[in-house]
Amino acid sequence: MKISDAMHKPAAWVDADTPVKEIADQMGKDDIGAVPIGKDDKLIGMITDRDLALRVVAQGLDPAKTRAEEVMTPGIVYCRTDETVEDAVHLMDQRKIRRLPVLDDEKRLVGMLSLGDVAHGTSLELVGEMTRAVANHHR
């Protein structure tokens, strides 16, 4: 199965200068757990709900004053629309991540692929492999 058939869309990124309060509000509104961060029209990182908990709340930072770039996970791991879901699962396993931005041929963000998307769109065998892979780092 192609990633373009399993991903959820649309997806949007937010600017690196965005206050994390706005990002958290958007996560709640859209019921999502990760938001790609961009700067100068390039993806530069990702903020997850875990980043907000550990890097903002646990550190006592003010969410209205803390900017995305200060607490995001730097670097971006992504997949392409024409790759297979199996390829994405192997990438998620290697990098121990649960969500991937999806880029098109023009390197534009067009969707997100999460573990839930994989679980809903693929075989039970692949779902089992994926679950085992992401749970492995919790041992």
Side-chain angles (χ1 to χ4, degrees), residues 14-57:
V14 299
D15 192 84
D17 290 332
T18 305
V20 295
K21 167 121 178 48
E22 290 180 27
I23 296 169
D25 290 343
Q26 191 66 42
M27 286 176 161
K29 179 179 165 245
D30 294 342
D31 191 28
I32 56 175
V35 175
I37 306 300
K39 186 175 190 176
D40 299 326
D41 204 32
K42 290 193 181 243
L43 294 179
I44 62 168
M46 184 88 84
I47 285 193
T48 66
D49 42 12
R50 180 178 169 91
D51 292 328
L52 294 176
L54 298 178
R55 296 179 181 165
V56 179
V57 176

Side-chain angles (χ1 to χ4, degrees), residues 10 13 17 19 21 26 31-32 34 39 47 49 62 68 74 80 82 84-85 91 93 97 105-106 108 113 118-120:
W13 57 275
D17 290 332
K21 167 121 178 48
Q26 191 66 42
D31 191 28
I32 56 175
K39 186 175 190 176
I47 285 193
D49 42 12
D62 182 347
R80 305 293 290 261
D82 59 349
T84 67
V85 172
L91 181 58
D93 179 18
I97 54 179
D105 292 337
E106 297 172 4
R108 301 316 247 171
L113 184 72
V118 173
H120 289 288

Side-chain angles (χ1 to χ4, degrees), residues 2-138:
K2 295 274 187 206
I3 288 172
S4 58
D5 296 327
M7 70 182 190
H8 60 271
K9 51 187 173 186
W13 57 275
V14 299
D15 192 84
D17 290 332
T18 305
V20 295
K21 167 121 178 48
E22 290 180 27
I23 296 169
D25 290 343
Q26 191 66 42
M27 286 176 161
K29 179 179 165 245
D30 294 342
D31 191 28
I32 56 175
V35 175
I37 306 300
K39 186 175 190 176
D40 299 326
D41 204 32
K42 290 193 181 243
L43 294 179
I44 62 168
M46 184 88 84
I47 285 193
T48 66
D49 42 12
R50 180 178 169 91
D51 292 328
L52 294 176
L54 298 178
R55 296 179 181 165
V56 179
V57 176
Q59 298 300 316
L61 300 178
D62 182 347
K65 293 180 181 175
T66 304
R67 305 288 175 211
E69 192 169 24
E70 297 173 62
V71 295
M72 71 180 191
T73 299
I76 198 82
V77 178
Y78 62 89
C79 58
R80 305 293 290 261
T81 53
D82 59 349
E83 294 174 327
T84 67
V85 172
E86 290 81 3
D87 292 334
V89 168
H90 294 298
L91 181 58
M92 289 174 167
D93 179 18
Q94 290 171 340
R95 302 299 290 267
K96 302 300 180 218
I97 54 179
R98 298 168 184 235
R99 303 168 187 99
L100 289 170
V102 180
L103 305 183
D104 66 11
D105 292 337
E106 297 172 4
K107 294 189 176 180
R108 301 316 247 171
L109 179 67
V110 295
M112 292 288 287
L113 184 72
S114 70
L115 295 179
D117 299 323
V118 173
H120 289 288
T122 61
S123 70
L124 288 176
E125 181 180 337
L126 185 58
V127 171
E129 178 183 334
M130 173 196 65
T131 304
R132 186 173 38 256
V134 299
N136 244 355
H137 74 285
H138 290 292

